[in-house]
Every structure is written in C-alpha cells, then in structure tokens.
Amino acid sequence: MADALVLHVNSSWTSPYALSAFVALKEKGLPFELALLDLDAGEHRRPPYAADSVTGRIPALRHGDFWLAESSAIDEYLEEAFPPPGHPRLYPADPKARARVRMVQAFLRSDLGALRNERPTSTFFLGEAAKPFTPAGRADAERLVTVAERFLPPGADSVAPAAPDGPAGGPFCIADADLALMLHRLVASGDPCPTRLADWARAVFRRPSIREWLSHTKWRDR
Ligand SMILES: N[C@@H](CCC(=O)N[C@@H](CS)C(=O)NCC(=O)O)C(=O)O
C-alpha cells in the first residue's frame, strides 16, 4: 500500500500556509487525512508533534514516515513526488516560468508583514472586524496592488507566465491560491483593489479545492 499522506492544519482553518498545502493536495487529486491542531491550546508545541513536524508549526505534511514543514516546500514536494502528467500540474514546466511562480510564493511569504498583521485571515475566515490601516499597513496594501499587477498582467489567468513554446499562462498554478488569498485581505474588507485583480481573486476562490477549505470557515463571497 502506498504511504499515507497526512496534512496537519490548525483547527480554526485560518492559516494561509495550511490553505496552500491543502489546495496543493486537492488539486493533485491525492487522498489524504487531515490532523487538526488547536494552536490556542498549544497542541503544536507538545510532543510528538513539536519534534516530528521539525518546526513545530503548521502546516506539516507526513508522507509515510517522512515529515515536511513549510508550505511552499510542501507544495514543491507534492509536485515532484506526484508529477505531471500522471497528476495535475502545480508549477509550470518551463524553468523560467516555474522560477517566476516560486518568486511569487517567496514574496508573499516574506513581504507585506504590516498588511498581514492588519488584515489577518480572521477578518474573512472568522468574520472578525478589520481596524483602520496604519500608514505601514496602507503602504503594504498599495505595494501589494502594484506588485500583483506585475505578477498578473492584463489578460493573464494565472501568475504562471506563458511558456515560450507552450500555451498562454495558466490555467492554474499553486501561487494563484496564495496571491488570491493575499488580495482577499483587501477585497474582503472593502479596501481599494482594482476591479480586475479583485475579480481574478474571486475567480480563483471559486475553485473546488479552495471552496472545500472555505466550507470550514465563515467565509462569505463579496
Ligand atoms: N513559513 C511557514 C509559516 C507557517 C506559520 O506561520 N504557521 C503558523 C500558523 S499561520 C503557526 O504555526 N503558528 C503557531 C506558532 O508559530 O506558534 C509556512 O509557509 O508554512
């Protein structure tokens, strides 16, 4: 029997990183078990999870006796362990296009800290009210729009750019889920976001893989 896949996520279903790994597994069409951890109760700091998960954070993937943390590492592992054409593609095949997708994922995980703090996912996954932006939060919001317009030029369906000899970008790569979630920090709170980007983020959030995540939250379409 193939090694079982178990994804560890937080029981409040608010983690954007856990969402990315969950969507990757769903888009690949892989059967997997979910293990829910209550972060408020500190379940992720207790043995054996604290050590098994390597970082003591969620998400963490167990594949047989192999453990892996860090959402983008999980996404990439799944792509390589369950590669196309046998499984749907999460990253473009072309090295430059693939590098651009990794760039989007890295940017979304390292930058925009003030926006992430001031528009936490609890505003749309738990229905909590958003507070007015500080100058730093507003600057991050504006930067997100500027950079997202570069990631997603007019007409693009996906941040995966067109391969030189392949079809136009898209229709989906895993960084689309990450970028759509980041844009929803603005859209869900009614903060300024160009209609084109907001509509794109809404379309990405209509994917069945993401709807399934949303069904565990208080998400409502806006
Ligand atoms: N860079 C990590 C971030 C993971 C992360 O920040 N997880 C948070 C939940 S969103 C967590 O485990 N927080 C609990 C803690 O750090 O104690 C990834 O991409 O997976």
Side-chain angles (χ1 to χ4, degrees), residues 4-84:
L5 287 159
V6 184
L7 182 66
H8 298 74
V9 311
N10 60 326
S11 53
S12 59
W13 294 85
T14 53
S15 170
Y17 313 108
L19 179 146
S20 188
F22 178 92
V23 169
L25 283 159
K26 286 283 167 191
E27 293 284 343
K28 283 278 177 199
L30 297 167
F32 65 99
E33 293 168 37
L34 273 172
L36 302 181
L37 282 88
D38 183 343
L39 300 192
D40 292 336
E43 286 183 349
H44 56 306
R45 292 193 213 99
R46 288 186 207 137
Y49 182 82
D52 285 346
S53 64
V54 190
T55 63
R57 292 185 139 198
I58 59 94
L61 179 75
R62 182 167 71 74
H63 185 198
D65 57 7
F66 172 68
W67 281 82
L68 189 66
E70 290 295 324
S71 55
S72 58
I74 294 171
D75 295 343
E76 293 195 36
Y77 173 70
L78 292 171
E79 179 76 336
E80 288 167 14
F82 303 95

Side-chain angles (χ1 to χ4, degrees), residues 94-170:
D94 173 69
K96 288 178 180 153
R98 181 178 283 240
R100 293 275 298 203
V101 170
R102 288 175 170 148
M103 173 185 73
V104 174
Q105 288 200 289
F107 172 80
L108 294 172
R109 283 160 177 74
S110 67
D111 284 48
L112 310 176
L115 175 61
R116 281 187 269 131
N117 283 336
E118 295 178 27
R119 291 293 179 272
T121 58
S122 54
T123 56
F124 45 82
F125 286 158
L126 300 180
E128 292 175 1
K131 298 187 187 122
F133 273 136
T134 66
R138 185 170 309 285
D140 267 2
E142 288 167 4
R143 183 156 176 254
L144 169 60
V145 168
T146 302
V147 176
E149 283 183 324
R150 293 178 191 144
F151 287 157
L152 205 62
D157 290 333
S158 167
V159 301
D165 52 358

